[in-house]
Each structure stands twice: as C-alpha cells, then as structure tokens.
Amino acid sequence: MSKLVIVGTVAFDAIETPFGKTDKILGGAATYIGLSASQFNLDSAVVSVVGNDFPQDYLDLLSNKNIDISGLEIVKDGKTFFWSGRYHYDMNTRDTLATELNVLADFNPIVPEAYKDAEVVMLGNLHPLVQLGVLDQMTTKPKLAILDTMNFWMDNALEDLHKVIARVDVLTINDEEARQLTGEYSLVNAAQKIFELGPQFVVIKKGEHGALLFHKDEIFSAPALPLKSVFDPTGAGDTFAGGFAGFLANSGEYTFDNMKTAIIYGSALASFCVEEFGTERLQKVTTEELNIRLQQFKELTTFNIDLS
C-alpha cells in the first residue's frame, strides 16, 4: 500500500455565506486533503498541530477514515489555529474576519518514522520553511512531491518559497497567484516561468472555471462540474489537492496522462465539498456517489467531431 504524507493545518473555522453561518467547525488544509485522499486505498498520515481544545470526536473522525494521526501534535494548554471568514454572494471573494495562529505560530513538523519513506508528499499551504522542514526529514526522496501555496507567502517569504518550489515536482496554485508569482498575465507563459523554478508539472486552479495542467509543451484543461447550489467553497482547493494526490499515490504512476485523470478525481471530490458547510459533505461521500460524479465529468467533456 502506497504511503502519503500530508502536511498542513488542522483547524477550527467559522464561516458565513449568503446561505447561512456556523460557529467553530472542523477545518484546515490538512483536514480537507486527508478526507479527500481517504477515498483511495492509501496509508496516509497527517503532520500538523492542534491545541488541547481540539475535540476527541474530530481526532476519531480522522482515525476512522484510516488517516494516521501520530504526526498530529497536541499541545497541552494550547489553542488550535482558528480562521473566520465571510463570503460574498458570488462566492469568489471573501473577507477574513479573524485569524488566530495559536499553536501554529511555533509549529515544528515531525514526520513519523514510519512515513519518512513515503512515496508521495503533499505539502499543504503553510510557511515555506515548514514545508522545507518536512522534505528534509524524508529518508528517501519522494517519488512525487506536491506543493500548494498562496499569495501571502509570495508577499512575505518569497525567497523561502522559491527554495521549496525548487524541490517539488508539482506546484498547485490559483490563477491570480500564478500571475503574481511570475508577472505573466497569460497562464501558459506563467506555467513556463514556473517550470524554470524547478517543478515538472504545474496545476493552476480556476475555481468555478476548472483547472489547467501543464507539463513541458502539453496542456490539459478540466472543467468544474456545474452545480445547482454552491453552499460553502471553503476547502474546495484543498479537497481538489487531496483527490489529486490520493489518486496518484494509489496508482503509483506519475505521468502527464495519469495526472489528467487525477485532475478529474480532484475536481469531482471538490464538487462535493462545496455542497455543505466545512467538511460535512466530504465526510459522507461514498464510492458509488463518486463514481456517478466521475461519469458526469466524462459526459461533460466527451464529444464527437468529424474533421473530414
């Protein structure tokens, strides 16, 4: 069974959308990535940190999804990372209402010994030095290292970000971040510039407009599944990353063609995530439901054309 190491936040979120609001609920990049990747036959582990205010029920949820939590540090007398945000009606913009780093401020990731030889490492959005610290702990070079990042680190830790980008195989960012990182408006040109930084593959997420996959001169464009209702987009990008990484780790094939399929799996799982608040819908996705949604993607993107 393939091993997948997932690094990122395990957190509390409080979310407000035009359709409702929550108090503190389960969130964090590593949480969404882990729950999404749990759809595949994997030996996965989360490397993160929480406070002693983190409920046992949430720990049990992760464990029951066959996610190893031995790398999830619980800080005695500490408080778990907390984020609160309010989404606008179009769901593409949001206002951050509160960010409390708490135990994340002094987070020193420790990869469990049993996972230091993992084939795939998924570096969720965190400070680049934390991401580098995880790569440094691996006893064998991962067959695939995937990095997710955001514009905050481009503004505040660009030199360190360049260092970690140089050591990964895949970079996943959104279209706005790709343009900021490279200074290129064209996403095709942006991907080419990112290749110069080190990665062999670039995934550019475009939210409700799907995703683009780049490798050398090859490009694959995947749509987002049109949905009747989008309730809460929180974690959709991390869910996408988890499906992408989980499929690849399970298959053990890290080619451009296989990554195209991984993009569709990631997109399908992300389409579930947005249907309810937080991780609620993601916790309940069945294999049958996922297969139905994958078939919908196939029908959405398949057509016949006569060029004679």
Side-chain angles (χ1 to χ4, degrees):
M1 187 181 296
S2 297
K3 293 180 183 178
L4 169 66
V5 168
I6 300 162
V7 185
T9 55
V10 175
F12 292 134
D13 290 341
I15 303 161
E16 182 177 344
T17 79
F19 310 107
K21 62 188 301 185
T22 72
D23 293 321
K24 285 185 177 182
I25 59 174
L26 177 62
T31 304
Y32 284 100
I33 293 169
L35 290 174
S36 183
S38 71
Q39 289 290 326
F40 305 92
N41 184 29
L42 293 172
D43 183 4
S44 63
V46 164
V47 178
S48 190
V49 62
V50 294
N52 65 352
D53 57 343
F54 197 73
Q56 184 64 42
D57 287 350
Y58 288 166
L59 295 172
D60 293 341
L61 168 65
L62 297 174
S63 296
N64 290 339
K65 292 291 185 178
N66 294 318
I67 301 169
D68 189 292
I69 59 172
S70 60
L72 179 58
E73 179 187 1
I74 302 175
V75 178
K76 184 180 179 181
D77 300 327
K79 294 180 65 177
T80 301
F81 174 70
F82 171 68
W83 175 84
S84 175
R86 178 191 298 121
Y87 287 89
H88 294 213
Y89 190 77
D90 66 0
M91 294 292 201
N92 290 318
T93 54
R94 70 185 184 191
D95 301 319
T96 292
L97 303 179
T99 301
E100 299 173 10
L101 293 178
N102 297 327
V103 295
L104 191 65
D106 300 313
F107 177 41
N108 180 31
I110 304 296
V111 179
E113 287 294 329
Y115 292 88
K116 289 185 177 181
D117 60 349
E119 291 88 347
V120 179
V121 175
M122 177 68 231
L123 300 170
N125 177 36
L126 280 172
H127 195 292
L129 291 179
V130 174
Q131 296 170 325
L132 281 169
V134 170
L135 293 177
D136 288 341
Q137 292 178 56
M138 306 304 292
T139 55
T140 57
K141 187 179 186 297
K143 293 180 179 178
L144 193 73
I146 307 167
L147 171 69
D148 190 30
T149 191
M150 66 180 297
N151 50 8
F152 179 84
W153 307 120
M154 297 173 199
D155 292 334
N156 297 284
L158 185 59
E159 183 178 349
D160 294 327
L161 179 59
H162 278 168
K163 290 178 182 177
V164 69
I165 288 175
R167 293 180 57 182
V168 301
D169 304 292
V170 184
L171 176 64
T172 73
I173 51 177
N174 68 30
D175 45 0
E176 177 187 352
E177 292 158 352
R179 292 181 172 119
Q180 178 177 341
L181 181 62
T182 63
E184 294 283 350
Y185 179 80
S186 163
L187 296 179
V188 175
N189 291 337
Q192 294 301 318
K193 278 202 171 181
I194 292 171
F195 291 148
E196 296 172 7
L197 299 176
Q200 301 177 50
F201 302 89
V202 177
V203 177
I204 298 180
K205 299 171 288 186
K206 300 176 65 184
E208 63 179 322
H209 302 297
L212 295 168
L213 170 67
F214 296 88
H215 174 59
K216 297 181 179 177
D217 295 326
E218 298 177 295
I219 304 174
F220 174 67
S221 177
L225 190 68
L227 298 170
K228 291 183 179 179
S229 63
V230 176
F231 200 78
D232 172 22
T234 308
D238 296 314
T239 301
F240 169 89
F244 178 79
F247 174 83
L248 291 171
N250 183 49
S251 68
E253 183 181 337
Y254 312 117
T255 63
F256 179 77
D257 282 343
N258 205 42
M259 285 191 188
K260 291 194 287 187
T261 305
I263 290 279
I264 298 301
Y265 268 89
S267 299
L269 285 160
S271 73
F272 288 110
C273 177
V274 303
E275 292 181 332
E276 295 184 32
F277 271 125
T279 65
E280 292 174 2
R281 182 68 177 95
L282 201 54
Q283 295 175 30
K284 300 178 290 188
V285 176
T286 66
T287 301
E288 181 181 6
E289 287 177 320
L290 177 57
N291 287 339
I292 291 171
R293 200 146 288 189
L294 290 169
Q295 181 63 34
Q296 291 175 324
F297 266 96
K298 184 177 180 180
E299 294 171 357
L300 185 67
T301 57
T302 301
F303 63 92
N304 294 317
I305 187 168
D306 185 0
L307 297 177
S308 60

